[in-house]
Amino acid sequence: MMSLRPYYLKIFYILAVCFCAVALLSCSLVRKETQPVSPPKQAKIAVVLGAGASRGFAHIGVLKILETHRVPVHMVVGTSAGAFVGSLYAYGFSPFELQAIALVIQKDDVADYIIPDNGFIKGEKLENYVNNRVKFTPLDKLKIPFYAVATNIQNGEEMIFGRGNTGRAVRASCAIPGIFNPVIIGENMYVDGGVVSPVAVHAARRLGADIVIAVDISSGVTPTAPTGTLETIMQSVDIMHNKMSVIQLKGADVVIRPKVTHIGSGDFTKRNEAIMEGEKAAAEAMPAINQVIDSLRQGERLP
C-alpha cells in the first residue's frame, strides 16, 4: 500500500506557502494604511518692498495695515529704500516704531557728503545708521528672513544679500549711481538694486515665496524738466524704475501702489504724507490679499 506521507507533506508545503504570502500581503497593506501622510507644505508669503528713495516712507504705511490685519509675513525682500525699511522691520521694529523713527530721521543722519568722486555721498553713515538700529545683527540672524537686492556693477547681475553685514548690504542696495559711491564687498563692486530689480518679485520667487505681495512706489515720468544735476539723475532713475518694474510686477499675486508720484525722490518733508498714502493703498488692496490668504487656509497651507 502506497504511503500517503509524501502527499500530505506536499499539501502542507503548499498551504504554508499560501499562508506566508497572505501574511506578507496583509503586513504590506497595514504598513500602507498606517504610514503617516505628510502634511502639505506651509506656504510662504513674501512682502517685496520696491525702490523709490524718499517715497519709501510709504512702505511703513503698508506694513502698518498688513500687521493690523494680521497678514503673516514669512519673508521680506527689499530694494534701495525698500531694503532700508525692510531691514529694520525684519529686525523686529513694529510698523508703529518705524513710523516714529521715520518722523525724526534727518538727511544728515544717513548722508555723508564728500567731494564728488564716483558719487557725492559716501554711504558710511547709512551703513552705520542701519547697523546701530539693528544692533549689528547680521542678515541671517534677523527675526524675519530678509534679503537686500543690489546690482553688481562689474557684470550687471542682480545680487541678493541674505547673509553678513546688514548695514553694508542695505548701503549697497541704496547706492544710486552718480549719487552714492559704489560699495565694495569681497572682490566685487555694487550699486543700487533698482538698476536691475526695482521691485524684486522674481527674486522672492526664487527664494521660495509662494505668495508675493509687492509694493510699487515708482513714480513714473515727471512732466517737469529737471533743473540741476541731482534732479536729472533722480528723474532718470525714476524713469528706469518705472519701466523695469512693469516686467516683474506681472509675477506678483497682489500689487500695492501708494499714490506718491508727487513726492520728490529726496523730499523728506512729505514723509508723513507718504506713510498715509501707503496705508490707503494697502487698505484698498486688503480684499485681494484676504482672498489669497483664504484660499491658502482652505488648502491648509497656512497655520
Side-chain angles (χ1 to χ4, degrees):
M1 185 176 178
M2 185 182 294
S3 174
L4 295 176
R5 185 176 180 184
Y7 176 75
Y8 287 123
L9 286 174
K10 185 181 290 186
I11 292 176
F12 176 78
Y13 175 75
I14 292 172
L15 289 174
V17 170
C18 291
F19 176 78
C20 290
V22 171
L24 289 172
L25 179 61
S26 299
C27 289
S28 65
L29 289 174
V30 169
R31 281 197 298 270
K32 287 182 180 179
E33 289 176 358
T34 59
Q35 186 176 6
V37 178
S38 299
K41 180 179 73 72
Q42 286 191 359
K44 289 184 179 179
I45 298 178
V47 173
V48 177
L49 305 177
S54 296
R55 292 184 291 273
F57 289 114
H59 291 316
I60 297 171
V62 171
L63 293 172
K64 283 176 68 177
I65 296 300
L66 295 182
E67 189 159 296
T68 299
H69 287 266
R70 298 182 180 179
V71 176
V73 177
H74 306 112
M75 180 195 308
V76 179
V77 181
T79 300
S80 197
F84 179 81
V85 175
S87 65
L88 301 183
Y89 180 68
Y91 168 73
F93 286 108
S94 74
F96 293 93
E97 290 172 326
L98 290 178
Q99 180 171 334
I101 292 171
L103 295 179
V104 298
I105 192 172
Q106 301 297 323
K107 287 184 182 180
D108 288 343
D109 294 331
V110 294
D112 40 4
Y113 297 97
I114 58 174
I115 297 172
D117 178 22
N118 208 1
F120 54 86
I121 296 178
K122 193 171 184 180
E124 286 183 355
K125 266 194 174 183
L126 174 61
E127 177 179 336
N128 292 335
Y129 181 90
V130 172
N131 276 334
N132 282 316
R133 283 290 183 181
V134 303
K135 297 182 180 178
F136 293 89
T137 305
L139 288 164
D140 48 307
K141 299 297 182 181
L142 298 175
K143 291 182 180 178
I144 301 174
F146 168 72
Y147 303 91
V149 180
T151 302
N152 186 326
I153 196 65
Q154 295 164 250
N155 58 23
E157 293 183 358
E158 175 190 71
M159 177 63 187
I160 303 170
F161 291 103
R163 298 176 62 85
N165 188 315
T166 299
R168 181 68 59 85
V170 171
R171 174 185 173 187
S173 185
C174 293
I176 300 171
I179 295 180
F180 281 81
N181 280 172
V183 181
I184 296 175
I185 301 177
E187 298 179 354
N188 297 302
M189 182 180 287
Y190 298 95
V191 296
D192 183 9
V195 172
V196 291
S197 293
V199 190
V201 173
H202 295 166
R205 294 291 188 194
R206 293 196 303 273
L207 291 164
D210 299 291
I211 299 299
V212 174
I213 300 171
V215 186
D216 176 24
I217 54 172
S218 59
S219 66
V221 181
T222 304
T224 57
T227 57
T229 302
L230 179 59
E231 286 190 17
T232 300
I233 292 173
M234 293 308 300
Q235 191 157 317
S236 300
V237 169
D238 289 341
I239 293 170
M240 177 183 66
H241 286 177
N242 185 64
K243 299 297 183 182
M244 296 189 67
S245 295
V246 174
I247 300 171
Q248 297 223 22
L249 289 172
K250 293 178 181 178
D253 296 279
V254 179
V255 179
I256 300 173
R257 290 186 172 91
K259 296 178 181 178
V260 290
T261 57
H262 62 289
I263 298 177
S265 298
D267 188 356
F268 273 43
T269 64
K270 294 185 174 67
R271 63 188 101 185
N272 194 47
E273 186 176 341
I275 293 171
M276 291 178 63
E277 290 297 340
E279 292 179 25
K280 291 178 185 177
E284 291 172 0
M286 278 311 304
I289 295 171
N290 285 331
Q291 184 176 2
V292 171
I293 292 175
D294 288 344
S295 65
L296 288 174
R297 285 193 173 130
Q298 289 171 8
E300 296 181 353
R301 296 191 66 196
L302 276 181

